[in-house]
Amino acid sequence: MARKALNIGMVGYGFMGRAHSNAYRKVNNFFDLDYVPVLRAVAARNKKKAEAFAYSWGYESVETDWRDLVKRNDIDAIDICTPNDLHAEIAIAAAKAGKMVLCEKPLARTAKEALPMVKAVEKAKVPNLVWYNYRRIPAVSFIQQIVASGKLGKIFHYRSKFLQDWTISPDVPQGGAGTWRLDVEAAGSGVTGDLLAHCIDGAIWINGSIDSLTAMTETFIKKRKHADTGKMQAVGIDDASAVLTRFKNGSLGMFEASRYARGHKALYAFEINGEHGSLGWDLHDLNRVAWFDHTQPSNMRGWTSILVTDGDHPYLGKWWVPGLTIGYEHSFIHTVADFLEGLSTGEKVGPTFRDAYETALVCDAIIESGKTGKWKKVAGK
Ligand SMILES: NC(=O)c1ccc[n+]([C@@H]2O[C@H](COP(=O)([O-])OP(=O)(O)OC[C@H]3O[C@@H](n4cnc5c(N)ncnc54)[C@H](O)[C@@H]3O)[C@@H](O)[C@H]2O)c1
């Protein structure tokens, strides 16, 4: 059976450019799908580097201006893998040109910047998706299914953190390749949009909308050299954020993100406590779910560790045999698989731009509450 081509045009070839390209190349080897991604072109400003990337990953051609990519008739979907300040302009232009849009997270620098993107893809009626990839780590998908089944009963607590330690030195510059995340102009916010946004997306998906919150944010290093100007400039990003939330379902949330947690490289972890049990997960042991089942007889109760590798766990039937683990990159392959499946069924695959806009509203409320110290009602999406 011939598959239908989904012609991909990717913008940016950094960390996510590689993660997505790998996913496009692998997906049809493991998933039975009507569509096959075809790597038509990659757009980046440096032609030589773009050509080297195209050669490594099998892209047919390169463009040095993303606008030329968006204009091309042989492209069906634009995949945005650039720093955050470019997401809005590219996504809106792509939607206006009738292209599907897959955009890296956070959707934009602020919710205000994100809203026209949501409107553009909805007006153009084009399939759209934001790469909150952690949803599709099988253990995380499994937790979402357990909570949705009602097995935990009433949820009381959702606590989540994302910790790193790579910006503690005052010598790390802001701006430029590799350190654009420290420049508020490029990133929009600091750890809130970069790291905590993953925790918020997961929380909303698993536990529903956040009603209100209060946050503490801090910028530990106030001035850094800017890689573009060479001058010491005020730092506009949040280096750490700590947030208390009330969910619409009545449960309480606690969230924390930092790039100053010495010893932690990418510790994304969360725990949920419900009436009948608790669930926990962390990225450093990503194939396992911690599970406490209070419905067991009292003398048999205890935390158990479920190895999520069986054929009846989410996505695992497509991979190896029970007991054999998969990794970080598979979350991107699963994202592409679901997106392609959605094209066949016509069903929306989340998180859509509208879903990611809700996360952006929460992130904006965190930044504002961090400044004012006041509780904030989260605006409706
Ligand atoms: N889903 C995740 O877990 C995850 C992880 C990392 C990054 N991200 C997101 O992915 C996006 C990219 O991050 P990254 O880590 O890949 O960054 P990166 O710095 O590794 O790559 C960014 C790429 O964008 C390119 N670029 C910059 N300006 C451009 C322009 N005008 N035209 C074309 N290309 C341009 C750069 O040359 C580079 O290739 C960000 O929005 C980030 O928040 C998501």
Coordinates of all heavy atoms in Angstrom, one line a residue, residues 10-20 43-46 49 63-67 80-87 90 103-107 131-134 162 176-181 193-194 198 328 331-332, ligand 1:
M10 N 11.4 22.3 7.7 CA 11.8 22.6 9.0 C 12.5 23.9 9.1 O 13.4 24.2 8.3 CB 12.6 21.4 9.6 CG 13.2 21.7 10.9 SD 14.1 20.3 11.5 CE 12.8 19.2 11.9
V11 N 12.3 24.7 10.2 CA 13.0 25.9 10.4 C 13.9 25.7 11.6 O 13.4 25.5 12.7 CB 12.1 27.1 10.5 CG1 13.0 28.4 10.5 CG2 11.0 27.1 9.5
G12 N 15.2 25.8 11.5 CA 16.2 25.7 12.6 C 16.7 24.3 12.6 O 15.9 23.3 12.4
Y13 N 18.0 24.1 12.9 CA 18.6 22.8 12.9 C 19.4 22.5 14.2 O 20.4 21.8 14.2 CB 19.5 22.6 11.7 CG 20.5 23.7 11.5 CD1 21.7 23.7 12.4 CD2 20.4 24.7 10.6 CE1 22.6 24.7 12.3 CE2 21.3 25.7 10.5 CZ 22.4 25.7 11.4 OH 23.4 26.7 11.3
G14 N 18.9 23.1 15.3 CA 19.7 22.9 16.6 C 19.2 21.6 17.3 O 19.0 20.6 16.6
F15 N 19.2 21.7 18.6 CA 18.8 20.5 19.4 C 17.5 19.9 18.9 O 17.3 18.7 18.6 CB 18.7 21.0 20.8 CG 18.2 20.1 21.9 CD1 18.2 18.7 21.7 CD2 17.8 20.6 23.1 CE1 17.8 17.9 22.7 CE2 17.3 19.8 24.1 CZ 17.3 18.4 23.9
M16 N 16.4 20.7 18.8 CA 15.1 20.2 18.5 C 15.0 19.8 17.0 O 14.3 18.9 16.6 CB 14.0 21.2 18.8 CG 13.7 21.2 20.3 SD 13.2 19.6 20.9 CE 14.6 19.1 21.9
G17 N 15.8 20.6 16.2 CA 15.8 20.2 14.7 C 16.3 18.7 14.6 O 15.7 18.0 13.8
R18 N 17.2 18.3 15.4 CA 17.7 16.9 15.4 C 16.7 16.0 16.0 O 16.5 14.9 15.4 CB 19.1 16.8 16.1 CG 20.2 17.6 15.4 CD 21.5 17.3 16.0 NE 21.6 17.7 17.4 CZ 22.1 16.9 18.4 NH1 22.5 15.7 18.2 NH2 22.1 17.4 19.6
A19 N 16.1 16.4 17.1 CA 15.1 15.5 17.7 C 13.9 15.2 16.8 O 13.5 14.1 16.7 CB 14.6 16.1 19.1
H20 N 13.5 16.3 16.1 CA 12.3 16.1 15.2 C 12.7 15.3 14.0 O 11.9 14.5 13.5 CB 11.8 17.5 14.8 CG 11.2 18.3 15.9 ND1 10.5 19.4 15.7 CD2 11.3 18.2 17.3 CE1 10.1 20.0 16.9 NE2 10.6 19.2 17.9
A43 N 15.3 25.1 6.7 CA 15.7 26.6 6.5 C 16.5 27.0 7.7 O 16.2 26.8 8.8 CB 14.4 27.4 6.4
A44 N 17.6 27.6 7.3 CA 18.5 28.2 8.4 C 19.3 29.3 7.7 O 19.5 29.3 6.5 CB 19.4 27.2 9.0
R45 N 19.8 30.3 8.5 CA 20.5 31.4 7.8 C 21.9 31.1 7.2 O 22.2 31.6 6.2 CB 20.7 32.5 8.9 CG 19.3 33.1 9.3 CD 19.4 33.8 10.7 NE 19.9 32.8 11.7 CZ 20.2 33.1 12.9 NH1 20.1 34.3 13.3 NH2 20.5 32.1 13.8
N46 N 22.6 30.1 7.9 CA 23.9 29.8 7.4 C 23.8 28.6 6.4 O 23.5 27.5 6.8 CB 24.8 29.4 8.6 CG 26.2 29.1 8.2 OD1 26.4 28.4 7.2 ND2 27.1 29.6 9.0
K49 N 26.1 25.4 6.9 CA 25.7 24.6 8.1 C 24.4 23.9 7.8 O 24.1 22.7 8.1 CB 25.6 25.5 9.3 CG 26.9 25.9 9.9 CD 26.7 26.5 11.3 CE 28.0 27.1 11.8 NZ 27.8 28.0 12.9
E63 N 16.9 26.2 2.5 CA 16.6 27.6 2.2 C 17.3 28.4 3.3 O 17.5 27.9 4.4 CB 15.1 27.8 2.4 CG 14.2 27.1 1.4 CD 14.2 27.6 0.0 OE1 14.8 28.7 -0.2 OE2 13.7 26.9 -0.9
T64 N 17.7 29.6 2.9 CA 18.4 30.4 3.9 C 17.5 31.5 4.5 O 17.9 32.3 5.4 CB 19.6 31.1 3.3 OG1 19.2 31.8 2.1 CG2 20.8 30.1 3.0
D65 N 16.2 31.5 4.0 CA 15.3 32.4 4.6 C 14.0 31.6 4.8 O 13.5 31.1 3.8 CB 15.0 33.6 3.7 CG 14.1 34.7 4.4 OD1 13.3 34.3 5.3 OD2 14.2 35.9 4.0
W66 N 13.5 31.6 6.0 CA 12.3 30.7 6.3 C 11.1 31.2 5.5 O 10.2 30.4 5.1 CB 11.9 30.7 7.8 CG 11.6 32.0 8.4 CD1 12.4 32.8 9.1 CD2 10.3 32.7 8.4 NE1 11.8 33.9 9.5 CE2 10.5 33.9 9.1 CE3 9.1 32.4 7.8 CZ2 9.4 34.8 9.3 CZ3 8.0 33.3 8.0 CH2 8.2 34.5 8.7
R67 N 11.1 32.5 5.0 CA 9.9 33.0 4.2 C 9.9 32.3 2.9 O 8.8 32.0 2.4 CB 10.1 34.5 4.0 CG 9.9 35.3 5.3 CD 10.3 36.7 5.2 NE 10.4 37.4 6.5 CZ 11.4 37.3 7.3 NH1 12.5 36.7 6.9 NH2 11.4 37.9 8.5
I80 N 8.5 24.4 13.4 CA 9.3 25.5 13.9 C 10.2 25.1 15.1 O 9.7 24.7 16.1 CB 8.3 26.6 14.4 CG1 7.4 27.0 13.2 CG2 9.1 27.8 14.9 CD1 6.3 27.9 13.6
C81 N 11.5 25.1 14.8 CA 12.5 24.7 15.8 C 13.5 25.8 16.1 O 14.7 25.5 16.3 CB 13.3 23.5 15.3 SG 12.3 22.0 15.0
T82 N 13.0 27.0 16.1 CA 13.8 28.2 16.4 C 13.6 28.7 17.8 O 12.7 28.3 18.5 CB 13.4 29.3 15.4 OG1 12.1 29.7 15.8 CG2 13.5 28.9 14.0
P83 N 14.5 29.6 18.2 CA 14.2 30.3 19.5 C 12.8 30.9 19.5 O 12.2 31.2 18.5 CB 15.3 31.3 19.6 CG 16.5 30.7 18.8 CD 15.8 30.0 17.7
N84 N 12.3 31.1 20.7 CA 10.9 31.5 21.0 C 10.5 32.8 20.3 O 9.3 32.9 19.9 CB 10.7 31.6 22.5 CG 11.1 30.4 23.2 OD1 11.4 29.3 22.6 ND2 11.3 30.5 24.5
D85 N 11.4 33.7 20.1 CA 11.0 35.0 19.5 C 10.6 34.9 18.1 O 10.0 35.8 17.5 CB 12.1 36.1 19.7 CG 13.4 35.6 19.1 OD1 13.7 34.4 19.0 OD2 14.2 36.5 18.7
L86 N 10.9 33.8 17.4 CA 10.5 33.7 16.0 C 9.3 32.8 15.8 O 8.7 32.8 14.7 CB 11.7 33.0 15.2 CG 12.9 33.9 14.9 CD1 14.0 33.0 14.4 CD2 12.5 34.9 13.8
H87 N 8.8 32.2 16.8 CA 7.6 31.2 16.6 C 6.4 31.9 16.0 O 5.8 31.4 15.1 CB 7.2 30.6 18.0 CG 8.2 29.7 18.6 ND1 8.0 28.9 19.7 CD2 9.5 29.4 18.2 CE1 9.1 28.2 20.0 NE2 10.0 28.5 19.1
I90 N 6.7 33.1 12.2 CA 6.7 32.0 11.3 C 5.4 31.2 11.2 O 4.9 30.9 10.2 CB 7.9 31.0 11.6 CG1 9.2 31.7 11.6 CG2 7.9 29.8 10.7 CD1 10.4 30.9 12.2
C103 N 4.8 23.4 16.1 CA 5.7 24.5 16.7 C 6.3 24.0 18.0 O 5.6 23.4 18.8 CB 4.8 25.7 16.9 SG 5.8 27.1 17.6
E104 N 7.6 24.3 18.2 CA 8.2 23.9 19.5 C 7.6 24.8 20.6 O 6.9 25.8 20.4 CB 9.7 24.1 19.4 CG 10.5 22.8 19.3 CD 10.1 21.8 20.4 OE1 9.6 22.2 21.5 OE2 10.3 20.6 20.2
K105 N 7.7 24.3 21.8 CA 7.2 25.0 23.0 C 8.3 26.0 23.5 O 9.4 25.8 23.2 CB 6.8 24.0 24.1 CG 7.8 23.0 24.5 CD 9.2 23.4 25.0 CE 9.2 24.2 26.2 NZ 10.7 24.6 26.5
P106 N 8.0 27.0 24.3 CA 6.6 27.4 24.5 C 6.0 28.0 23.2 O 6.8 28.5 22.4 CB 6.8 28.5 25.6 CG 8.2 29.0 25.4 CD 9.0 27.9 24.9
L107 N 4.7 28.1 23.1 CA 4.1 28.5 21.9 C 4.7 29.9 21.4 O 5.0 30.0 20.3 CB 2.6 28.6 22.0 CG 1.8 28.9 20.8 CD1 2.1 28.0 19.6 CD2 0.3 28.8 21.1
W131 N 5.0 21.0 20.5 CA 5.8 19.8 20.9 C 6.0 19.7 22.4 O 7.2 19.7 22.8 CB 7.2 19.8 20.2 CG 7.1 19.7 18.7 CD1 6.9 20.7 17.8 CD2 7.4 18.5 17.9 NE1 7.0 20.2 16.5 CE2 7.3 18.8 16.6 CE3 7.6 17.2 18.3 CZ2 7.5 17.9 15.6 CZ3 7.8 16.2 17.2 CH2 7.7 16.6 15.9
Y132 N 5.0 19.6 23.2 CA 5.2 19.3 24.6 C 5.3 17.7 24.6 O 4.4 17.0 24.9 CB 4.0 19.8 25.4 CG 4.1 21.2 25.8 CD1 3.2 22.2 25.2 CD2 5.0 21.7 26.7 CE1 3.3 23.5 25.5 CE2 5.1 23.0 27.0 CZ 4.3 23.9 26.4 OH 4.4 25.3 26.7
N133 N 6.6 17.3 24.3 CA 6.8 15.9 24.1 C 6.7 15.0 25.3 O 6.5 13.8 25.1 CB 8.3 15.8 23.5 CG 9.3 16.4 24.4 OD1 9.2 17.6 24.7 ND2 10.2 15.6 24.9
Y134 N 6.9 15.6 26.5 CA 6.9 14.6 27.7 C 5.5 13.9 27.9 O 5.5 12.9 28.5 CB 7.3 15.4 28.9 CG 8.7 15.9 28.9 CD1 9.1 17.2 28.7 CD2 9.8 14.9 28.9 CE1 10.4 17.6 28.7 CE2 11.1 15.3 28.8 CZ 11.4 16.7 28.7 OH 12.7 17.1 28.6
F162 N 11.0 21.0 37.7 CA 12.0 20.8 36.6 C 13.2 21.5 37.0 O 13.2 22.7 37.1 CB 11.4 21.3 35.3 CG 12.0 20.6 34.1 CD1 11.2 20.3 33.0 CD2 13.3 20.4 34.0 CE1 11.7 19.7 31.9 CE2 13.9 19.8 32.8 CZ 13.1 19.4 31.8
G176 N 22.6 35.1 21.9 CA 23.5 34.4 21.0 C 23.2 32.9 21.0 O 22.4 32.4 21.7
A177 N 23.9 32.2 20.1 CA 23.6 30.7 19.9 C 23.9 30.0 21.2 O 24.9 30.2 21.8 CB 24.5 30.2 18.8
G178 N 23.1 29.1 21.6 CA 23.3 28.3 22.8 C 22.8 29.0 24.1 O 22.5 28.3 25.0
T179 N 22.9 30.3 24.1 CA 22.5 31.0 25.4 C 21.4 32.0 25.2 O 21.2 32.9 26.0 CB 23.8 31.7 26.0 OG1 24.5 32.3 25.0 CG2 24.6 30.6 26.8
W180 N 20.7 31.8 24.0 CA 19.5 32.7 23.8 C 18.5 32.6 24.9 O 17.7 33.5 25.2 CB 18.9 32.5 22.4 CG 18.4 31.0 22.2 CD1 19.1 30.0 21.6 CD2 17.2 30.5 22.6 NE1 18.3 28.9 21.6 CE2 17.1 29.1 22.2 CE3 16.0 31.0 23.3 CZ2 16.1 28.3 22.5 CZ3 15.0 30.2 23.5 CH2 15.0 28.8 23.2
R181 N 18.4 31.4 25.6 CA 17.5 31.2 26.7 C 17.6 32.2 27.9 O 16.7 32.4 28.7 CB 17.6 29.8 27.3 CG 17.0 28.7 26.4 CD 17.3 27.4 27.0 NE 16.6 26.3 26.3 CZ 17.0 25.8 25.1 NH1 18.1 26.3 24.5 NH2 16.3 24.8 24.6
G193 N 9.0 29.7 31.2 CA 8.5 29.3 29.9 C 9.3 28.1 29.3 O 8.8 27.4 28.5
D194 N 10.6 28.0 29.8 CA 11.5 27.0 29.3 C 11.2 25.6 29.9 O 11.1 24.6 29.2 CB 12.9 27.4 29.4 CG 13.9 26.6 28.6 OD1 13.5 26.3 27.4 OD2 15.0 26.3 29.1
H198 N 6.6 22.8 30.7 CA 6.4 21.4 30.5 C 5.6 20.8 31.7 O 4.7 20.0 31.5 CB 7.8 20.6 30.5 CG 8.5 20.7 29.2 ND1 8.0 20.1 28.0 CD2 9.7 21.2 28.9 CE1 8.8 20.3 27.0 NE2 9.9 21.0 27.5
Y328 N 14.3 9.1 25.7 CA 13.8 10.5 25.5 C 13.4 10.7 24.1 O 12.3 11.3 23.8 CB 15.0 11.4 25.8 CG 14.8 12.9 25.5 CD1 14.0 13.7 26.2 CD2 15.5 13.4 24.4 CE1 13.8 15.0 26.0 CE2 15.3 14.8 24.1 CZ 14.5 15.6 24.9 OH 14.3 16.9 24.6
S331 N 9.8 10.0 22.7 CA 8.6 10.9 22.9 C 8.3 11.7 21.7 O 7.2 12.0 21.4 CB 8.9 11.8 24.1 OG 10.0 12.6 23.9
F332 N 9.4 12.0 20.9 CA 9.2 12.8 19.7 C 8.6 11.9 18.6 O 7.8 12.3 17.8 CB 10.5 13.4 19.2 CG 11.0 14.5 20.2 CD1 11.9 14.1 21.2 CD2 10.5 15.8 20.2 CE1 12.3 15.1 22.2 CE2 11.0 16.7 21.1 CZ 11.9 16.4 22.1
Ligands
LIG1 N1 10.3 20.0 23.6 C1 11.4 20.1 24.3 O1 11.7 19.4 25.3 C2 12.4 21.2 24.0 C3 13.8 21.0 24.3 C4 14.6 22.0 23.8 C5 14.2 23.1 23.1 N2 12.8 23.3 22.9 C6 12.3 24.4 22.2 O2 12.7 24.3 20.8 C7 13.1 25.6 20.3 C8 14.5 25.6 19.8 O3 15.3 25.2 20.8 P1 16.7 24.5 20.6 O4 17.2 24.0 21.9 O5 16.6 23.5 19.5 O6 17.6 25.7 20.2 P2 19.0 25.7 19.4 O7 19.7 26.9 19.8 O8 19.7 24.4 19.6 O9 18.5 25.8 17.9 C9 17.8 26.9 17.4 C10 18.0 26.9 15.9 O10 17.2 28.0 15.3 C11 18.0 28.6 14.3 N3 17.6 29.9 14.1 C12 17.7 31.0 14.8 N4 17.3 32.1 14.2 C13 16.8 31.7 12.9 C14 16.3 32.3 11.8 N5 16.0 33.6 11.8 N6 16.0 31.5 10.7 C15 16.2 30.2 10.7 N7 16.7 29.6 11.8 C16 17.1 30.3 12.9 C17 19.5 28.4 14.9 O11 20.4 28.6 13.8 C18 19.4 27.0 15.4 O12 19.6 26.1 14.4 C19 12.8 26.6 21.4 O13 11.5 27.2 21.2 C20 12.9 25.8 22.7 O14 12.1 26.3 23.7 C21 11.9 22.3 23.3

